[in-house]
Amino acid sequence: MSVPGGIVILDFGSQFTQLIARRIREQEVFSAVLPCSASLDDVRAYHPSGIVLSGGPNSVYDPAAPVCDPRVLELGLPVLGICYGMQWITHTLGGKVTPAKRREYGPAVIDLSSENGQAGSVLFQGLPRKLNIWNSHGDHVQSLPAGFQVTGRTENALAAAEDTARRIYAVEFHPEVRHTDRGTDILRNFVFGICAAKPNWSGQAFIHETVEAIQRRVGARPALCALSGGVDSAVAAVLVHRALGPRLTNVFVDTGLLRKDEFRTTLELLRDRMHLKVIGVDASQRFLAALKGVTDPEEKRRRIGRGFIEVFADEARKLGEIGFLVQGTLYPDVIESVSVRGPSQTIKTHHNVGGLPADLPFQLVEPLRDLFKDEVRRIGRELGLPEEMLTKHPFPGPGLAVRMLGEFTPEGLDTLRDADAIVVEEIRRAGLYEKVWQAFAVLLPVRSVGVMGDERHYGWTIAVRVVESEDAMTADWSRLPADVLERISTRIVNEVRGVTRVVYDISSKPPSTIEWE
Ligand code: XMP
């Protein structure tokens, strides 16, 4: 999947590498993330108009510090080094990088004043002289390689530099994160002002490229798609359906862990409105039996992952020879689960990918693996999916099992499902469903005293979690109007048996996560 004239990003392992790619795609310019170890031929194969070297968690002096082929700096293409990328360029070209006395993490102010009365950097064209930026680094550039000039400083450090003759640019902060003011303008200046990249990348181009790539890979063989009921797998299914037509069979499993009425309503949507060939499998008893009494969240995920694979293997056997399993895995699922493309660090094993056993009887087809949720929604809209499907809130693959903290019980599941339905209903009624990222209930293994009528009750606690987010990499709790919170709380206590207390979660991500387990 590539279009000439785009940008190649070489990944040194930062959590934000795909965010750089996404900010470039927002400019309708193609971008590909390659591991930093990619060969020069791999890079050239994309016919890029420029190269970005990402950040990364290492010091250039670590014995296992990731490196690029230094000849990427001699291809004659403009290069932008970000954070570790800047330090690697400095180190490689003969400058000096030193461990900082104080790690610079979080916000800072950069001064972009030009030196010696010369014009400021093209990279910062149109920007004010002082800018709020966001840092995350331990080492500093102490002295620059020959030919480089300083183009920006923070209070503590030399924060930006360039060698215009060689067209090498470097910043020590992260222009790709939202906390850097005008960060997108900096990337845009690089992409258009310096690289003269072509804005010829669009949703339609992605669809076209992806359909062709799937046809090449799968050929005339049949494939099975695992539908979760959510937007990601639905978009993946429609894309693969475009590529394979009737050779794609979709399976939608009722794990017994879905939201209230989710299985029935989604099956109708998939079959009647999206015209997909879908086998609906009721495997709820199997999943509930496998989970009974399990407390550890990772163990819950593993058992559910195993259950899914067993169900799909059964269905595949019934259908005959099937070598490919289509999944709607997105980039945030990948980055938080396993290190795939480059040396990006693992945060925790979870998501669709985390539960899969190593000896998978299928090859995976994951057409959305490089995208973020809002990009997938945009692609889905271009593919003509119904809005009901496109606006659905994300829901974890392991479903309500990871929203019931502590021991899994069938009774707890009923309580949670009823409370969750009230949260969603009230958020919809308040016209907030499409404004918030997710709204759901969590059942806590905490009992407290309540008085109902004249009687004392020792009941369970429901936590309500409503967050706003752009891509689930970061999130903030939603400042819901008090009357909405009040209606949610009153209805849960009145309508859901056994619950006597409702609390509202006011944690942001980071440091918390969106889900509780
Ligand atoms: P966290 O809790 O990591 O969640 O902030 C980020 C986004 O991912 C969803 N999520 C999951 N999705 N399997 C999934 O398919 C999982 O195990 C899982 N855990 C979290 C979560 O709902 C949020 O949108």
Side-chain angles (χ1 to χ4, degrees):
M1 282 187 280
S2 92
V3 169
I7 304 288
V8 162
I9 301 164
L10 294 172
D11 178 22
F12 281 124
S14 163
Q15 296 298 330
F16 304 125
T17 302
Q18 278 292 344
L19 215 44
I20 307 172
R22 174 230 168 88
R23 298 276 175 253
I24 295 173
R25 287 197 295 266
E26 283 172 1
Q27 311 307 318
E28 301 192 337
V29 170
F30 172 74
S31 72
V33 176
L34 302 180
C36 56
S37 55
S39 70
L40 288 187
D41 283 344
D42 288 342
V43 174
R44 282 200 204 97
Y46 284 89
H47 303 288
S49 59
I51 295 172
V52 174
L53 305 179
S54 85
N58 294 80
S59 158
V60 286
Y61 296 111
D62 288 347
V67 294
C68 282
D69 185 326
R71 289 172 298 173
V72 296
L73 302 173
E74 295 162 13
L75 288 174
L77 294 171
V79 175
L80 172 65
I82 294 176
C83 192
Y84 178 91
M86 174 173 190
Q87 291 153 8
W88 179 82
I89 291 171
T90 305
H91 184 64
T92 304
L93 295 180
K96 191 154 191 262
V97 175
T98 49
K101 286 194 201 75
R102 213 153 36 94
R103 198 181 151 76
E104 269 203 298
Y105 183 86
V109 176
I110 191 171
D111 185 335
L112 301 170
S113 303
S114 54
E115 293 201 326
N116 313 327
Q118 290 174 2
S121 173
V122 178
L123 195 61
F124 304 129
Q125 202 157 36
L127 267 59
R129 225 188 57 172
K130 297 226 178 195
L131 208 59
N132 295 315
I133 53 153
W134 200 81
N135 278 315
S136 173
H137 54 88
D139 290 354
H140 274 327
V141 171
Q142 194 190 339
S143 61
L144 291 167
F148 276 78
Q149 273 202 350
V150 179
T151 53
R153 287 183 187 281
T154 61
E155 197 186 359
N156 299 325
L158 184 169
E162 68 189 18
D163 176 343
T164 48
R166 283 189 278 184
R167 297 203 291 167
I168 302 176
Y169 300 79
V171 292
E172 201 148 65
F173 57 94
H174 288 273
E176 69 276 25
V177 304
R178 284 279 180 236
H179 314 291
T180 292
D181 285 350
R182 314 280 303 264
T184 301
D185 290 334
I186 297 174
L187 291 174
R188 197 182 294 134
N189 283 341
F190 178 69
V191 166
F192 295 122
I194 295 168
C195 301
K198 296 192 184 75
N200 56 5
W201 181 248
S202 64
Q204 285 304 329
F206 174 85
I207 293 167
H208 180 76
E209 295 283 333
T210 307
V211 165
E212 282 198 345
I214 295 166
Q215 283 167 339
R216 273 196 304 275
R217 175 154 173 234
V218 178
R221 289 166 289 180
L224 194 66
C225 177
L227 290 173
S228 68
V231 60
D232 311 342
S233 57
V235 172
V238 172
L239 265 176
V240 177
H241 186 250
R242 281 216 179 167
L244 305 182
R247 277 174 288 132
L248 173 70
T249 304
N250 300 283
V251 175
F252 179 32
V253 181
D254 187 357
T255 55
L257 305 166
L258 296 172
R259 287 169 285 210
K260 199 165 194 162
D261 290 333
E262 178 93 9
F263 188 66
R264 183 182 55 77
T265 54
T266 307
L267 203 53
E268 281 169 12
L269 198 57
L270 294 164
R271 282 179 177 160
D272 303 342
R273 307 263 307 276
M274 293 168 57
H275 313 292
L276 289 171
K277 184 166 84 181
V278 187
I279 301 173
V281 183
D282 178 2
S284 48
Q285 290 316 314
R286 173 186 209 146
F287 281 91
L288 300 192
L291 286 170
K292 200 150 182 217
V294 178
T295 303
D296 177 55
E298 291 290 285
E299 185 57 29
K300 288 178 187 169
R301 285 195 163 83
R302 270 192 293 276
R303 291 191 189 201
I304 293 164
R306 226 177 292 141
F308 271 122
I309 291 301
E310 285 165 13
V311 172
F312 291 123
D314 284 353
E315 293 305 317
R317 253 192 307 278
K318 285 186 213 158
L319 291 167
E321 188 69 12
I322 294 228
F324 294 88
L325 180 68
V326 180
Q327 282 203 316
T329 317
L330 306 192
Y331 181 69
D333 307 332
V334 175
I335 192 72
E336 296 201 350
S337 300
V338 276
S339 178
V340 254
R341 288 295 183 79
S344 293
Q345 306 272 297
T346 302
I347 297 178
K348 61 178 174 180
T349 43
H350 82 190
H351 302 275
N352 320 27
V353 266
L356 295 182
D359 57 345
L360 211 57
F362 307 101
Q363 285 186 53
L364 289 181
V365 177
E366 298 177 309
L368 310 176
R369 206 181 164 82
D370 290 336
L371 302 189
F372 289 83
K373 192 98 179 178
D374 58 332
E375 295 182 303
V376 169
R377 287 190 167 127
R378 220 170 305 136
I379 298 290
R381 211 157 268 132
E382 298 210 25
L383 286 165
L385 269 74
E387 280 301 307
E388 262 160 279
M389 178 57 86
L390 294 173
T391 54
K392 256 195 202 191
H393 284 177
F395 187 64
L400 298 177
V402 290
R403 291 180 180 169
M404 185 190 311
L405 270 73
E407 185 183 340
F408 180 88
T409 64
E411 306 74 48
L413 186 61
D414 291 339
T415 306
L416 174 59
R417 186 182 286 117
D418 288 346
D420 184 72
I422 291 172
V423 174
V424 175
E425 225 174 278
E426 289 301 330
I427 291 291
R428 277 194 193 277
R429 189 176 299 176
L432 296 171
Y433 186 81
E434 283 164 33
K435 298 203 175 89
V436 302
W437 175 264
Q438 267 171 297
F440 58 89
V442 181
L443 177 63
L444 306 185
V446 174
R447 297 217 290 171
S448 65
V449 178
V451 185
M452 290 173 109
D454 283 335
E455 275 179 67
R456 279 166 76 84
H457 280 266
Y458 197 51
W460 295 107
T461 309
I462 286 286
V464 176
R465 181 87 164 129
V466 184
V467 295
E468 291 169 20
S469 176
E470 190 188 4
D471 50 26
M473 305 282 276
T474 60
D476 198 7
W477 58 280
S478 193
R479 272 60 172 174
L480 287 187
D483 59 322
V484 176
L485 284 169
E486 185 183 347
R487 261 198 310 278
I488 290 174
S489 157
T490 310
R491 281 196 57 197
I492 291 177
V493 174
N494 286 346
E495 296 174 33
V496 184
R497 268 183 93 81
V499 177
T500 43
R501 199 169 293 266
V502 177
V503 297
Y504 190 52
D505 182 349
I506 54 168
S507 333
S508 62
K509 171 184 181 175
S512 300
T513 49
I514 295 175
E515 303 290 341
W516 278 47
E517 279 197 338

